[in-house]
Amino acid sequence: MSSRTDEELLVENTRRFNKVGTLPAAILSVCLCLVQITLAFILPELCDKKGKECVLNSFSILIYTHGGHWAGILAVDQFLHLAHHKSRLSGYLEFYTKTKNIRRAPFYLVSAGNFVLMLIVIILHDLCDDDQTCSHTFTKVDYLRGLITLESLVVICCNVSYIIILREFNKKQSPPDVLREDFVTSIHLGDHGDTIGVQQQDQVMEVMERQAELIRYLKDHSETLGKKILDLTNQLALKERA
């Protein structure tokens, strides 16, 4: 009876498909990258020419804007994390696993860019400020512009790939993986025993990853059910006392 009730509750909670509404956040991430690239090319023209001096030079402004860019990507990353965590709790384990790395990549790339940016600032300060050799090749802004452009283009590619996967997922409106018989069957290692070599190793790793996600889901689902049962028990106790 308890097992049947738990299954009925699971089906009831996951019967209606809820779209993962992270498309605006992904588009915002792309827009942030485009703005950063635009600033990298426009600011030197606005602030470094005679008669158009800004309060700060373009090199300093780009460093500050890159810090703001990192903060924006961080906010988007946290929003995506919460949305995908909610989707995983609804039973969409395969989608969570498929997008896990690509949705995290922009934040890690911009964080790495901050580290490289810091090194570039120190190196250029030590080598170019008191040395005229830099003025004959590239300026400090040129190096910074190249880094920002490369970083932003890679992040845009990651976001575009994520958007494609997201749109396909929302369009299919598939039932939760935990209710799909083919998914449950695919997590058994015995189904892949006929293959050998590297292909078998890759399949084993994929199955183990799915099993790990399923275990996490079942654990979280059990905790959610436990909290609901506790709340209902407390409510029933209060009614009996009244």
Side-chain angles (χ1 to χ4, degrees):
M1 179 68 178
S2 175
S3 175
R4 181 180 178 182
T5 303
D6 180 78
E7 182 179 355
E8 290 176 351
L9 182 59
L10 172 61
V11 174
E12 181 180 355
N13 289 338
T14 57
R15 183 179 299 166
R16 185 176 62 181
F17 178 81
N18 293 318
K19 290 186 177 181
V20 179
T22 55
L23 181 60
I27 295 177
L28 175 61
S29 180
V30 173
C31 292
L32 289 174
C33 293
L34 293 176
V35 169
Q36 189 67 23
I37 293 175
T38 303
L39 290 175
F41 285 90
I42 289 181
L43 284 176
E45 299 295 327
L46 296 178
C47 297
D48 293 346
K49 290 187 176 181
K50 293 183 179 180
K52 296 183 179 180
E53 289 83 0
C54 300
V55 177
L56 297 174
N57 58 50
S58 61
F59 185 81
S60 299
I61 296 177
L62 284 174
I63 293 175
Y64 288 125
T65 57
H66 192 274
H69 177 62
W70 175 87
I73 295 296
L74 172 62
V76 171
D77 177 75
Q78 293 302 306
F79 177 78
L80 293 180
H81 172 75
L82 292 175
H84 280 262
H85 179 70
K86 183 178 179 180
S87 175
R88 183 177 66 82
L89 291 179
S90 298
Y92 293 98
L93 309 182
E94 191 171 8
F95 174 68
Y96 179 86
T97 303
K98 188 176 182 180
T99 58
K100 180 170 58 176
N101 293 328
I102 198 168
R103 69 177 171 81
R104 292 175 176 175
F107 173 69
Y108 291 137
L109 286 169
V110 178
S111 297
N114 270 340
F115 172 74
V116 176
L117 182 63
M118 180 181 64
L119 292 180
I120 289 178
V121 170
I122 297 301
I123 292 173
L124 292 178
H125 174 73
D126 292 338
L127 298 181
C128 294
D129 283 355
D130 300 325
D131 192 350
Q132 298 298 322
T133 57
C134 293
S135 61
H136 296 295
T137 53
F138 297 102
T139 64
K140 294 194 298 183
V141 175
D142 290 330
Y143 290 104
L144 191 57
R145 180 187 295 160
L147 170 65
I148 290 175
T149 302
L150 177 62
E151 170 197 282
S152 298
L153 288 177
V154 175
V155 171
I156 288 175
C157 291
C158 292
N159 279 296
V160 170
S161 299
Y162 170 78
I163 290 173
I164 293 174
I165 297 173
L166 176 65
R167 287 174 61 88
E168 182 182 355
F169 171 77
N170 287 335
K171 184 179 181 180
K172 284 184 177 180
Q173 297 189 4
S174 302
D177 298 327
V178 293
L179 300 180
R180 287 168 41 207
E181 185 176 351
D182 59 329
F183 177 82
V184 177
T185 304
S186 68
I187 66 174
H188 297 292
L189 289 173
D191 296 338
H192 304 284
D194 297 334
T195 57
I196 58 174
V198 178
Q199 184 178 4
Q200 181 186 23
Q201 183 69 20
D202 294 339
Q203 290 176 341
V204 169
M205 294 300 296
E206 181 180 352
V207 170
M208 292 180 65
E209 185 176 11
R210 289 185 176 185
Q211 289 177 341
E213 291 298 335
L214 181 60
I215 292 172
R216 288 179 59 193
Y217 166 79
L218 293 175
K219 179 182 177 181
D220 293 338
H221 183 65
S222 298
E223 291 178 354
T224 302
L225 290 177
K227 291 179 181 179
K228 290 182 178 179
I229 293 173
L230 182 60
D231 292 339
L232 291 174
T233 302
N234 292 334
Q235 293 177 10
L236 181 61
L238 291 175
K239 289 183 178 180
E240 291 178 349
R241 292 177 183 176

